[in-house]
Amino acid sequence: MVTIVKDVICHRELLAMLVARNIKIRYKESVLGFLWTLLGPLLLIGIYALFLGIMRFSISMPLLVTGIFVWQYLAMTLGDSTNAIVGNANLIQKAAFPRVLLPLSIVLANLVNLLLSLIIVGIYLVFTNVSFGMPLWLCVAIVSQMALCIGLSLLLSAANVFFRDVQHVIGVLMMAWFFVTPVIYSPVMVLQTFSDPRLHQLFYLNPMTGLLALYRNALMGEAMPQANLWIPSLAVSWLMLAAGVVVFQKLQRSFADEL
Amino acid sequence: MSSVAIKVSGVSKRFRLRHSATKTIKSMIMDLLRHGGRTGGELWALQDIHFEVEAGRTLGIIGANGAGKSTLLALLAGTMTPTTGIIQTQGSISSLLELGAGFHPDLTGRENIFLAGAIMGLSRRKMKQRLDSIVEFADIGPFLDEPVKHYSSGMYVRLGFAVAVEVDPDILLVDEVLAVGDAAFQRKCLKKMASFRAMGKTMLIISHDLHAIQSVSDSILFLDHGQMKGHGAPSDIIGQYESFSRGQSGGDLRREWGTREVVLKGADFFDDNGNVTRSVASGGSVNIRIRYEVHTAVGPSVFGFGISDETGRLVHGSNTQIAGVDVGSLARSGSVVLRLPRLDLAAGNYFFSFSAHSADHRTNYHRLDNAFALGVDSEKRVDGVCVMPSEWRIEDSRGKEA
């Protein structure tokens, strides 16, 4: 863990360049370029708003907007991560540098997108007259979501070197994860439908559920769930980070052999 | 100064082989079911390698494809870890393993230069200072801010070389640079490497160009199938490698057939003093003793020979019958000696074929095609396979001798 942090600090300049490279490459030769960072989620929001409306499923727009933007950070990061090591096979085989920089640069490039989106979300929320909650929770939420993204990104990028199946299965798993996370519905609905507290606990073991609660409290003043629900949820994010670091450290020695 | 820059002790590298290049969960499950957990075989790409390179020295590494040369450089560069053994290096390492490998096609030349510099651990500020000399060496002036995917392959390689050299490492690893680019670029590379050497930097070079590697190396390491076959002075090891590869090549041209009443057991090449030899000077003589065993007594017989070049094309062929030598019937094992007083062949590797057959050419007892290699050396280079005496005369316009 300490060596990884040291490596990253020593190579911060390389990390910054890799982040810049990821951002540049994603939107190369597209007319709207960087605008797609916002347009993608906006179109998604439009589609969900339309269909949920047709199906007479009530959802508040601010809830949907925050949900989609926050979810997009996770989804985009993990989608890119499977390729972080495999897609840089040339670099891995030819140059010795901390491999952790590759998945990390993907998390950070997507973080830039999230921060820009949050500004737009913030402006939108001001116009909808929602009340903002604790700003501290926003920071905690962003940092914890980064921890979750780094952890999963390390796991996925390393696993994909050994089993290319990862890149195929990830899309389906993300879809399933999306539906068990209160992105397009309110968590209150779930808590009301099911009375068993063990089910509530299970629902909140999903780290994204806890993170969304923090985001929505900070951005739109939604009431926080009970502490025994959101604290374990947050802990899962950090556990993922620890697991990612441990697994990646163990596997990275044989990357060059396997690629 | 005689400090050791690279020390490799007892290094081996094992690769696990699989049936397919990419592992999938399905293939793993199938392997588990079939072999009870054993997935594929293993390959020792390197075995028990020992050597040291003193700071400021250049080590050349030679060997056939698959000998483990590139694996050795990857271990030194730190991209792979040895299965056993220890590698110690002093100072920063820059590797020219495959030029421009780290370049991203969609980034511009300038962006790639800075990225490559950062990968090798140089700050942006330091790279800025070197940008001009990199651009000059690579000769890509107007293309600096174009994506490298629009570069010609020559520009790509030049830029890769320029970046790797300009990061100013203590140790430079060079893999087959001399095989790419045009002649002008290769001269430039050799010049750069010479100046690198003059600056007291340590280099490890892989090349198939034996002439070039001999001229830049202080010592040479010869690898074959992952094992060290030799390590020492360039001329000694190059000689060893050349005679070794002569013995190896021709394997795919080798043919053998016949009724085996008479079997050719072997052929020994020796000079006029009776010393065994594997190479002769162009225009020189060679003697070949062909040993045979008679399994079933046969009637009047003929021995023949043929010389082919490396591609298997027959250069010359003859036999005892044509030469007017009567071998007679063969009842007991023995040998015949063939002397070629003047081997007027161009420099290169040649293969000898021998045959024993009946005098009426109906029955082929034994024939060994391209089974024996002989090197022909020459100072003079000529085109083609044979050397003809040639004389030139210069005349003026009236046809008089000038």
Side-chain angles (χ1 to χ4, degrees):
Chain A
M1 186 77 197
V2 179
T3 47
I4 275 202
V5 173
K6 236 191 221 160
D7 275 347
V8 172
I9 292 171
C10 286
H11 293 80
R12 57 190 181 280
E13 207 159 2
L14 174 58
L15 180 62
M17 276 189 219
L18 289 173
V19 171
R21 181 187 82 160
N22 289 343
I23 294 174
K24 266 180 212 156
I25 289 163
R26 171 170 296 171
Y27 299 112
K28 47 137 190 169
E29 281 163 33
S30 61
V31 179
L32 295 177
F34 204 71
L35 275 179
W36 278 112
T37 301
L38 297 174
L39 278 178
L42 284 180
L43 288 173
L44 269 183
I45 290 165
I47 292 167
Y48 281 120
L50 184 68
F51 278 91
L52 293 176
I54 290 172
M55 299 179 74
R56 311 215 173 279
F57 191 98
S58 72
I59 179 161
S60 88
M61 272 309 276
L63 189 113
L64 181 62
V65 170
T66 48
I68 291 287
F69 275 102
V70 168
W71 178 261
Q72 276 303 95
Y73 176 38
L74 179 81
M76 298 288 274
T77 304
L78 299 196
D80 294 347
S81 307
T82 52
N83 216 20
I85 302 296
V86 173
N88 287 298
N90 248 332
L91 270 186
I92 300 273
Q93 283 161 339
K94 306 301 176 197
F97 62 93
R99 276 74 177 99
V100 68
L101 296 183
L102 291 169
L104 190 58
S105 71
I106 283 173
V107 176
L108 292 180
N110 281 295
L111 178 71
V112 173
N113 293 349
L114 172 76
L115 295 180
L116 288 175
S117 321
L118 282 181
I119 295 173
I120 307 295
V121 172
I123 295 170
Y124 161 77
L125 292 173
V126 169
F127 280 100
T128 55
N129 293 324
V130 294
S131 55
F132 290 97
M134 281 271 285
L136 171 69
W137 289 144
L138 183 63
C139 300
V140 174
I142 292 174
V143 173
S144 301
Q145 193 179 8
M146 267 178 73
L148 175 67
C149 285
I150 294 170
L152 290 176
S153 181
L154 291 175
L155 286 172
L156 291 176
S157 61
N160 199 38
V161 174
F162 301 91
F163 308 102
R164 298 295 151 90
D165 309 66
V166 171
Q167 67 198 42
H168 302 296
V169 81
I170 187 73
V172 182
L173 288 184
M174 288 307 287
M175 179 80 114
W177 194 0
F178 177 80
F179 284 112
V180 298
T181 305
V183 181
I184 57 168
Y185 54 87
S186 165
V188 178
M189 206 188 70
V190 174
L191 297 185
Q192 281 170 349
T193 314
F194 304 97
S195 53
D196 191 339
R198 279 174 305 177
L199 276 177
H200 295 176
Q201 203 75 54
L202 191 65
F203 180 58
Y204 269 93
L205 273 184
N206 170 1
M208 282 305 285
T209 307
L211 287 171
L212 272 174
L214 291 182
Y215 275 113
R216 283 171 174 154
N217 173 271
L219 293 171
M220 45 191 282
E222 276 238 320
M224 285 288 276
Q226 292 164 309
N228 68 342
L229 293 179
W230 71 263
I231 290 176
S233 185
L234 212 59
V236 172
S237 287
W238 292 92
L239 276 178
M240 283 295 164
L241 175 67
V245 169
V246 170
V247 171
F248 195 86
Q249 290 266 51
K250 217 173 161 57
L251 294 181
Q252 64 176 351
R253 278 169 59 89
S254 36
F255 283 170
D257 296 0
E258 294 288 332
L259 288 168
Chain B
M1 56 174 194
S2 64
S3 66
V4 174
I6 299 171
K7 186 174 172 156
V8 172
S9 359
V11 164
S12 301
K13 177 70 185 174
R14 180 187 58 205
F15 288 109
R16 296 196 183 283
L17 299 176
R18 294 205 198 88
H19 309 296
S20 60
T22 315
K23 197 175 190 177
T24 61
I25 288 174
K26 182 187 161 202
S27 75
M28 198 187 70
I29 293 170
M30 298 303 281
D31 282 337
L32 276 172
L33 294 177
R34 253 186 251 136
H35 311 292
R38 291 269 301 119
T39 57
E42 53 187 37
L43 170 94
W44 288 91
L46 288 174
Q47 272 183 305
D48 201 24
I49 305 295
H50 288 271
F51 67 88
E52 282 183 12
V53 184
E54 282 176 18
R57 292 312 188 103
T58 300
L59 176 73
I61 303 172
I62 58 174
N65 291 329
K69 304 182 301 277
S70 297
T71 305
L72 181 56
L73 281 207
L75 291 175
L76 287 166
T79 59
M80 285 184 183
T81 40
T83 311
T84 63
I86 299 169
I87 293 177
Q88 290 159 295
T89 54
Q90 274 303 321
S92 63
I93 300 181
S94 166
S95 63
L96 268 172
L97 316 177
E98 215 173 282
L99 293 174
F103 291 169
H104 195 288
D106 288 310
L107 296 182
T108 68
R110 187 193 300 272
E111 286 163 342
N112 270 310
I113 289 172
F114 284 113
L115 186 60
I119 286 170
M120 296 191 202
L122 254 80
S123 70
R124 207 181 166 79
R125 197 170 47 77
K126 277 192 183 152
M127 280 312 277
K128 249 186 194 142
Q129 293 164 356
R130 288 159 201 202
L131 186 63
D132 289 340
S133 51
I134 290 175
V135 172
E136 194 199 342
F137 185 90
D139 195 16
I140 53 159
F143 289 89
L144 182 59
D145 290 305
E146 285 285 316
V148 295
K149 66 180 171 191
H150 296 152
Y151 282 24
S152 70
S153 56
M155 289 163 67
Y156 201 85
V157 167
R158 287 201 300 272
L159 185 61
F161 187 87
V163 169
V165 170
E166 287 296 331
V167 298
D168 199 23
D170 300 316
I171 300 171
L172 183 66
L173 308 177
V174 188
D175 190 350
E176 268 311 335
V177 175
L178 305 166
V180 295
D182 55 17
F185 172 66
Q186 292 190 11
R187 265 200 306 280
K188 227 168 155 180
C189 289
L190 283 172
K191 220 174 115 190
K192 193 84 199 177
M193 287 201 260
S195 75
F196 223 76
R197 230 178 134 187
M199 284 158 66
K201 308 273 186 178
T202 310
M203 275 195 289
L204 258 77
I205 299 177
I206 292 181
S207 181
H208 287 291
D209 185 340
L210 296 180
H211 182 72
I213 205 163
Q214 188 169 2
S215 68
V216 294
S217 303
D218 295 304
S219 63
I220 289 191
L221 182 75
F222 168 22
L223 291 177
D224 180 58
H225 291 96
Q227 311 210 346
M228 272 173 74
K229 286 274 181 219
H231 181 205
S235 53
D236 295 350
I237 304 293
I238 298 258
Q240 185 195 348
Y241 176 64
E242 279 183 323
S243 59
F244 177 81
S245 49
R246 251 175 227 140
Q248 294 280 302
S249 56
D252 50 342
L253 294 170
R254 190 190 159 104
R255 298 276 184 282
E256 181 177 1
W257 72 94
T259 56
R260 302 186 77 89
E261 278 121 334
V262 178
V263 173
L264 301 174
K265 297 304 286 182
D268 311 311
F269 291 69
F270 53 96
D271 62 18
D272 287 344
N273 300 323
N275 298 320
V276 173
T277 180
R278 302 301 290 168
S279 66
V280 293
S282 178
S285 64
V286 68
N287 302 276
I288 307 156
R289 177 175 294 110
I290 305 156
R291 290 174 276 115
Y292 62 89
E293 249 175 46
V294 177
H295 291 185
T296 312
V298 291
S301 303
V302 172
F303 288 100
F305 81 102
I307 306 173
S308 307
D309 69 3
E310 274 183 300
T311 63
R313 182 176 48 170
L314 189 64
V315 175
H316 176 80
S318 187
N319 61 35
T320 49
Q321 203 170 41
I322 294 169
V325 175
D326 188 7
V327 173
S329 300
L330 297 176
R332 288 166 56 189
S333 303
S335 58
V336 287
V337 175
L338 165 71
R339 179 167 191 267
L340 298 165
R342 277 187 55 170
L343 215 53
D344 284 332
L345 292 169
N349 291 327
Y350 295 89
F351 298 109
F352 278 76
S353 309
F354 299 108
S355 67
H357 53 85
S358 63
D360 61 3
H361 293 257
R362 291 260 174 81
T363 318
N364 204 344
Y365 304 138
H366 194 198
R367 192 161 165 168
L368 278 173
D369 269 11
N370 302 316
F372 305 94
L374 183 73
V376 175
D377 305 321
S378 173
E379 293 287 301
K380 275 189 208 149
R381 298 214 68 88
V382 294
D383 285 336
V385 288
C386 72
V387 179
M388 296 228 178
S390 48
E391 292 163 1
W392 294 84
R393 219 171 49 221
I394 311 293
E395 291 186 337
D396 63 17
S397 57
R398 284 164 298 171
K400 296 251 174 77
E401 268 191 50

